[in-house]
Amino acid sequence: MTPLATSPLDQLCINTLRTLAMDAVQKAKSGHPGMPMGAAPMAYVLWTRHLKHNPSNPRWRNRDRFILSAGHGSTLLYGLLHLTGYDLSLEDLKDFRQWGSKTPGHPEYHLTPGVETTTGPLGQGFASGVGMAIAERYLAARYNRPNFEVVNYRIYGIVSDGDLMEGVASEAASLAGHLKLGNIIYLYDDNRISIDGSTRLAFTEDAAKRFEAYGWHVQFLDDGNDLAAIGAAIKAAEEETARPSLIKIHTHIAYGSPNKQDTAEAHGSPLGDEEIRLTKKNLGWDPQKQFYIPDDVLNHFRRFVEQGKKWESLWKTMFEGYRRAHADLAREFEKITNADYGDEWKKALPIFGPEAGAMATREASGKVLNAVAPHLLTLIGGSADLAPSNNTFLKNLPEFQANVYTGRNFHFGVREHAMGSILNGLALTDGFIPYGGTFLVFSDYMRPSIRLAALMGIRSIYVFTHDSIGLGEDGPTHQPIEQIASLRCIPNLTVIRPADANEVVHAWRFAIQHTTGPVALILSRQKLPLIDRTKYAPAELLTRGAYVLTENSKQPAIILIGTGSEVQLVLNAYEQLVKEGVAARVVSMPSWELFERQTKEYRDAVFPPTVKKRIAVEAGVPMGWGKYVGNDGAVIGIGKFGASAPAEVIFREYGFSPENVLNEARALLNRS
């Protein structure tokens, strides 16, 4: 990179970013103008002197990643993307926050070219960047060879006071320091203002010392407009390869505004026409011009179109040399990053026969993971300090640690918040299949990151074990009651609760192949009998979401529906009903979401509209089951918290026994 020399053109470029942000927010009558105005200098230095990217190909694999974790300042990112030549027009900037625009209120992955991850919920971008850094380290360790650094990008970001206040950032920062992720460089926009007012109201800690304690390389800049100092600090951070870097830069929110600089008013509201006029005048700008981009500014920024092509071309030339020198590695790298996993992993999927005996679905999950892991080199994951309980450990494979970046067993520590976000960062890297495990009840800690994974449509896989009161003696603090229902409420999240080991196999098969959204596997602690597939329907029907497990009549008088461990209760009740001469059907329903994706004809075949008497059995809140049992049906569920006792005792006391299912079925059949 060329040395940074402050010039009138530099200042003109920075003020262009500021005025574009002001104008976009004012036109929308909504937004956050202050942060872009204060952070424009650091963003300008980063994007024009340090960021390696290609506007013509936003998905170039060896690009540096830029994360605007302070997503409320989205107009700053949109201005940078437009000016540097991404497919984002000036009209798009004028459509900020409007229906159907490419410039939503906060940056959204897949919607706007050049946006690496959806941000807005503070701390999430910060933590997802750690996942991206882990992905880079893994790929670099596996594929780089002397004279051939095929992977060597950095994760840059702009973070805010709010990001550092959120606990998820603290968790992720602690882990990043432990792992010595020197490919992370975050610029901390320390403008000392939040929505409520000065950060003195609630945030008076020395955040820099906290990050030093985490093992980060920390620098301080007192003047957010000192371009030379910003450039020197970024360069120093790039040279520090053994620690992640935080550059704390004191800025002024709404810089240049005569009446709103350094005030909370500029955080989340338009400046107003008169204040914009005064601010533009203060910045030496024509107050009458809106969305104005001087020709010199556009020409200066647009040189990155050709520069980006050159960077990618040089990388491709280097990769061709790599291909000649290391043909097998090059072939493997291309397959992985293109998500071409072949079929060997599918052939390795186990089939559990009678000899396997009763098995907890968490145990079956671990067996599936270990069977396919040798054939899926980017299957990487672990647990929030619960690997022995979640069965997430990949045997005979190394652990991912500082300087052992080829490891695939990941220790997140007791950090569910960060784990969810890190999985997202991994999933946003081409070819990765990340998974993370914890107890189902602790999915509550991960909800923001799960929601973002669903919103982005990315493949994060959650291994949620200890799925019910079957957890037993640990008691109600650890027994999930409402969690399954709450996860089902998240759009584009596929929730799967398998009934036995063979359903687990097909749940994993689906999760690995499903690339347009996250999957939550809900698994039991207790052993479950293996369903005899010579007698009942095949387990691969799991991918239909619900299927007829068994029936003794095509015109059933009653349908019994179960998920997970409760399918066995339903089967036992069914066998007794058959003995009593009742026409009955059993439906295994591991996934509402998969079922709703089936045709109406299929759904009606499983649940004939003429069969009104239905019972659903699930050890959780009954919310939502009414859709499937109807007004004439019944739900055996749980409307209170659990208890501390052996699992079999709690199940019996809460009505989850074949006898109770049978009694409910008889009562329903006798009802007129």
Side-chain angles (χ1 to χ4, degrees):
M1 296 294 180
T2 56
L4 179 65
T6 304
S7 69
L9 180 57
D10 292 327
Q11 196 60 54
L12 196 64
C13 290
I14 291 166
N15 286 340
T16 299
L17 289 169
R18 286 169 169 155
T19 55
L20 286 173
M22 286 189 285
D23 288 343
V25 171
Q26 189 63 33
K27 186 175 185 295
K29 298 181 173 60
S30 172
H32 302 72
M35 180 272 177
M37 295 167 68
M42 70 175 78
Y44 171 73
V45 172
L46 176 60
W47 276 66
T48 60
R49 296 298 194 277
H50 297 272
L51 194 70
K52 180 182 63 180
H53 61 115
N54 182 4
S56 300
N57 181 13
R59 303 302 299 171
W60 170 40
R61 294 212 169 94
N62 203 44
R63 70 192 182 280
D64 290 331
R65 272 62 166 174
F66 173 76
I67 299 170
L68 185 68
S69 191
H72 54 276
S74 58
T75 51
L76 175 61
L77 178 54
Y78 299 149
L80 289 163
L81 292 171
H82 168 67
L83 290 170
T84 53
Y86 285 79
D87 183 20
L88 197 70
S89 69
L90 189 59
E91 290 304 311
D92 290 323
L93 268 62
K94 293 178 181 179
D95 282 342
F96 178 57
R97 292 193 168 210
Q98 303 309 300
W99 177 264
S101 79
K102 293 161 68 173
T103 49
H106 293 82
E108 293 186 31
Y109 177 71
H110 275 326
L111 184 61
T112 311
V115 171
E116 299 286 357
T117 181
T118 299
T119 56
L122 291 172
Q124 290 292 329
F126 184 114
S128 291
V130 174
M132 294 179 187
I134 290 166
E136 189 276 341
R137 281 291 184 250
Y138 175 78
L139 292 173
R142 186 172 184 89
Y143 294 107
N144 287 357
R145 293 295 183 269
N147 302 316
F148 295 104
E149 287 196 359
V150 295
V151 180
N152 64 352
Y153 55 84
R154 295 186 177 93
I155 316 301
Y156 295 98
I158 294 180
V159 304
S160 65
D161 291 304
D163 285 296
L164 300 196
M165 289 187 218
E166 289 287 359
V168 65
S170 298
E171 289 185 6
S174 173
L175 190 55
H178 166 75
L179 294 172
K180 303 185 185 303
L181 298 177
N183 52 349
I184 295 176
I185 299 174
Y186 286 161
L187 311 183
Y188 169 21
D189 175 31
D190 180 26
N191 62 37
R192 306 177 191 182
I193 293 292
S194 64
I195 291 176
D196 280 355
S198 169
T199 54
R200 289 193 300 270
L201 294 169
F203 189 54
T204 53
E205 67 181 52
D206 190 329
K209 287 185 178 178
R210 171 157 60 96
F211 275 76
E212 288 176 347
Y214 289 148
W216 285 55
H217 173 236
V218 179
Q219 300 176 76
F220 312 83
L221 299 181
D222 288 330
D223 184 0
N225 292 303
D226 187 337
L227 306 191
I230 293 170
I234 296 174
K235 186 174 186 297
E238 291 169 344
E239 292 172 351
E240 172 54 70
T241 59
R243 291 178 291 172
S245 287
L246 184 77
I247 305 172
K248 182 180 180 181
I249 306 174
H250 181 210
T251 63
H252 297 276
I253 195 169
Y255 180 84
S257 172
N259 300 301
K260 295 190 177 181
Q261 178 175 310
D262 295 328
T263 70
E265 288 182 72
H267 185 285
S269 301
L271 296 181
D273 290 330
E274 178 58 20
E275 188 66 17
I276 287 177
R277 188 185 69 79
L278 293 173
T279 303
K280 287 181 177 178
K281 186 175 180 180
N282 201 29
L283 295 174
W285 213 257
D286 186 341
Q288 304 304 315
K289 291 183 177 179
Q290 294 183 336
F291 294 97
Y292 173 57
I293 302 173
D295 290 342
D296 288 350
V297 168
L298 192 60
N299 291 335
H300 180 64
F301 275 110
R302 286 292 164 87
R303 63 194 171 94
F304 286 98
V305 173
E306 291 307 314
Q307 178 62 66
K309 291 177 182 177
K310 181 179 179 181
W311 277 325
E312 182 171 359
S313 177
L314 289 171
W315 181 83
K316 285 181 175 178
T317 299
M318 181 270 295
F319 193 84
E320 287 307 310
Y322 178 73
R323 191 194 307 279
R324 290 190 293 272
H326 306 283
D328 289 345
L329 283 175
R331 190 180 306 111
E332 184 182 284
F333 177 81
E334 289 183 313
K335 280 180 171 291
I336 281 175
T337 52
N338 286 318
D340 177 4
Y341 308 122
D343 292 324
E344 292 305 310
W345 72 272
K346 298 175 188 175
K347 297 175 185 176
L349 288 166
I351 299 173
F352 296 103
E355 71 283 355
M359 185 185 304
T361 51
R362 62 168 175 159
E363 182 184 354
S365 172
K367 291 180 183 296
V368 174
L369 274 171
N370 276 279
V372 301
H375 310 287
L376 295 171
L377 300 179
T378 47
L379 180 71
I380 180 171
S383 170
D385 200 49
L386 290 167
S389 293
N390 298 147
N391 291 84
T392 50
F393 195 82
L394 302 178
K395 298 174 184 177
N396 304 317
L397 289 176
E399 298 167 64
F400 190 99
Q401 290 290 334
N403 304 317
V404 190
Y405 295 133
T406 53
R408 290 169 57 192
N409 283 297
F410 208 87
H411 295 282
F412 293 98
V414 188
R415 300 186 183 97
E416 282 91 354
H417 294 280
M419 178 173 71
S421 301
I422 289 169
L423 293 179
N424 289 349
L426 284 161
L428 286 162
T429 306
D430 291 338
F432 274 81
I433 309 170
Y435 66 91
T438 188
F439 291 176
L440 175 59
V441 74
F442 300 137
S443 64
D444 290 342
Y445 287 136
M446 300 171 60
R447 194 171 185 86
S449 56
I450 295 173
R451 187 175 188 273
L452 282 179
L455 178 61
M456 289 188 279
I458 58 176
R459 179 176 43 193
S460 294
I461 302 174
Y462 313 110
V463 181
F464 292 139
T465 70
H466 298 59
D467 68 345
S468 70
I469 54 175
L471 186 148
E473 291 86 346
D474 272 346
T477 61
H478 283 53
Q479 291 168 5
I481 301 297
E482 73 279 15
Q483 277 71 25
I484 298 176
S486 71
L487 290 171
R488 287 174 177 147
C489 291
I490 300 176
N492 201 38
L493 170 65
T494 303
V495 180
I496 307 177
R497 188 170 181 236
D500 76 342
N502 283 312
E503 280 198 357
V504 170
V505 173
H506 293 284
W508 265 111
R509 182 183 182 123
F510 171 82
I512 290 168
Q513 293 181 299
H514 185 60
T515 60
T516 57
V519 176
L521 304 178
I522 313 297
L523 308 172
S524 74
R525 172 183 185 260
Q526 73 275 25
K527 292 181 181 295
L528 303 180
L530 200 65
I531 296 172
D532 183 355
R533 300 295 171 171
T534 64
K535 181 179 179 182
Y536 301 113
E540 53 261 37
L541 290 173
L542 169 136
T543 57
R544 307 298 292 269
Y547 62 98
V548 178
L549 189 59
T550 187
E551 62 186 356
N552 67 336
S553 171
K554 294 296 182 183
Q555 299 296 323
I558 189 168
I559 300 175
L560 308 180
I561 313 163
T563 70
S565 55
E566 289 75 74
V567 169
Q568 193 61 44
L569 303 179
V570 166
L571 276 175
N572 289 342
Y574 164 82
E575 297 294 350
Q576 182 58 40
L577 287 173
V578 170
K579 290 178 182 178
E580 296 174 7
V582 176
R585 171 181 290 183
V586 172
V587 171
S588 176
M589 193 169 190
S591 177
W592 294 7
E593 296 78 20
L594 291 178
F595 183 66
E596 292 301 328
R597 294 171 199 164
Q598 308 307 311
T599 65
K600 184 177 185 301
E601 289 74 19
Y602 178 81
R603 287 183 277 123
D604 285 348
V606 174
F607 296 122
T610 56
V611 182
K612 304 293 185 182
K613 294 183 178 182
R614 308 173 185 177
I615 296 178
V617 186
E618 184 170 62
V621 294
M623 184 178 72
W625 278 109
K627 177 177 182 179
Y628 299 109
V629 301
N631 294 333
D632 297 317
V635 180
I636 299 176
I638 301 176
K640 59 183 178 180
F641 292 115
S644 182
E648 61 273 16
V649 174
I650 306 174
F651 271 117
R652 183 182 67 246
E653 293 297 327
Y654 276 58
F656 292 94
S657 65
E659 294 76 19
N660 190 50
V661 175
L662 187 59
N663 289 336
E664 289 288 338
R666 288 167 177 159
L668 198 60
L669 287 165
N670 291 329
R671 190 185 305 165
S672 59

